[in-house]
Amino acid sequence: MTQYFYDNVQPKTGQGADAQYALSIYVPPAHCTDKHAKIENVFDKDDAAQVKMLLKNGAKCELCTKPKNVIASRPVKIDEKTTEHSEHVLLYPVGNSLMDKLLAKARDQSCVVFYSYNSPCVKTCLQSADNILGGLRNWINKRKGQMNAFVFQEIWQKDKDKDLQTEFQNIDKIVPLYRCMKSSNAMECRKCVNNNVVDPFCLPKKKFFLESLIKEVFFLFQELLTSVIKL
């Protein structure tokens, strides 16, 4: 699914780089559990192209597809100093948001996926008074016991040196958090938090490498200690 988003919806900046956007879609459950399920059956390429064009032009997709199953937005500039982040655009105002309108149409047995190209930024989306956590809770409160997922692809560039473990744990306590990372023209997806432990796959590469190195050193130390004890 996320590979399809990247290939058919992903907007670009004026310089041609991948741009931040958020999209939410409801789909039959198989599309969230079976990698062979064809997303085109519920979000065809014509609809995807329309969403991409709206985003390119700075507009929102407000249930703009034929099945009325997609919402999407780029960040929205409010004034010279303020930009509403794309996740916030979809989730607020609580009770009358685009997400509320999407959920009103979603079938009980559907899977609702909220996708953000970048991870939610710590400063504004997760820690400010105007954070997105209330919007996420509103979503899940309306979908208790149903299939839901929050998915991101890249780490927000300004957060690559931050400790994101606690932030990701806080999101996962509300809605299951996943990362789908592009490599060799394919997407690898993993759940970010299991038993309250954050998978290094979901963390910045530097931290991922460091934690992997620590684990390897610890393993070698255990092996060495075992050998010494045997002697």
Side-chain angles (χ1 to χ4, degrees):
M1 186 187 301
T2 51
Q3 182 70 58
Y4 185 82
F5 293 163
Y6 187 82
D7 291 341
N8 297 283
V9 180
Q10 179 65 50
K12 302 289 184 180
T13 66
Q15 292 72 42
D18 293 331
Q20 166 60 16
Y21 80 108
L23 175 152
S24 190
I25 184 172
Y26 69 84
V27 294
H31 289 80
C32 291
T33 58
D34 181 0
K35 66 180 181 180
H36 299 297
K38 293 187 178 296
I39 186 68
E40 297 96 318
N41 292 339
V42 292
F43 184 32
D44 65 33
K45 290 193 175 180
D46 287 341
D47 278 338
Q50 181 183 1
V51 175
K52 184 173 184 176
M53 183 58 66
L54 287 169
L55 296 176
K56 179 182 178 181
N57 293 334
K60 305 169 194 171
C61 167
E62 303 185 18
L63 302 174
C64 65
T65 60
K66 291 185 288 292
K68 306 294 183 186
N69 63 342
V70 174
I71 56 174
S73 180
R74 293 280 309 277
V76 175
K77 188 173 183 179
I78 305 300
D79 55 42
E80 290 303 318
K81 295 183 178 180
T82 309
T83 297
E84 184 178 11
H85 292 205
S86 51
E87 304 98 318
H88 196 278
V89 173
L90 299 188
L91 293 167
Y92 287 84
V94 168
N96 192 36
S97 66
L98 289 178
M99 191 64 167
D100 286 302
K101 294 173 183 177
L102 180 77
L103 296 177
K105 291 188 172 293
R107 299 178 183 86
D108 286 343
Q109 299 306 313
S110 60
C111 175
V112 174
V113 176
F114 188 100
Y115 171 82
S116 175
Y117 176 70
N118 286 298
S119 58
C121 70
V122 171
K123 182 179 178 181
T124 302
C125 290
L126 300 179
Q127 292 188 352
S128 76
D130 205 24
N131 65 65
I132 65 170
L133 301 181
L136 295 180
R137 291 189 188 96
N138 174 62
W139 160 22
I140 298 307
N141 286 339
K142 292 186 174 185
R143 294 269 308 169
K144 286 181 179 178
Q146 304 297 331
M147 196 176 292
N148 307 286
F150 188 120
V151 184
F152 72 92
Q153 181 171 324
E154 302 297 329
I155 301 292
W156 172 237
Q157 58 182 356
K158 294 183 180 180
D159 288 345
K160 289 184 177 180
D161 292 326
K162 294 181 180 177
D163 183 359
L164 298 176
Q165 295 193 63
T166 300
E167 306 300 338
F168 288 171
Q169 287 168 337
N170 289 339
I171 294 174
D172 191 75
K173 287 174 184 175
I174 302 172
V175 55
L177 179 67
Y178 295 81
R179 183 181 190 183
C180 291
M181 190 156 46
K182 192 172 185 294
S183 61
S184 302
N185 295 318
M187 287 285 183
E188 180 182 359
C189 299
R190 296 189 198 176
K191 192 174 187 303
C192 289
V193 184
N194 293 285
N195 297 318
N196 208 37
V197 176
V198 178
D199 189 330
F201 176 84
C202 296
L203 299 172
K205 278 187 177 180
K206 184 166 60 177
K207 193 168 186 63
F208 187 2
F209 173 77
L210 181 60
E211 293 199 359
S212 298
L213 181 62
I214 290 172
K215 287 181 180 178
E216 181 67 21
V217 170
F218 182 69
F219 174 76
L220 291 174
F221 176 75
Q222 284 184 314
E223 290 287 299
L224 178 62
L225 186 60
T226 301
S227 299
V228 170
I229 291 173
K230 286 181 179 179
L231 290 174

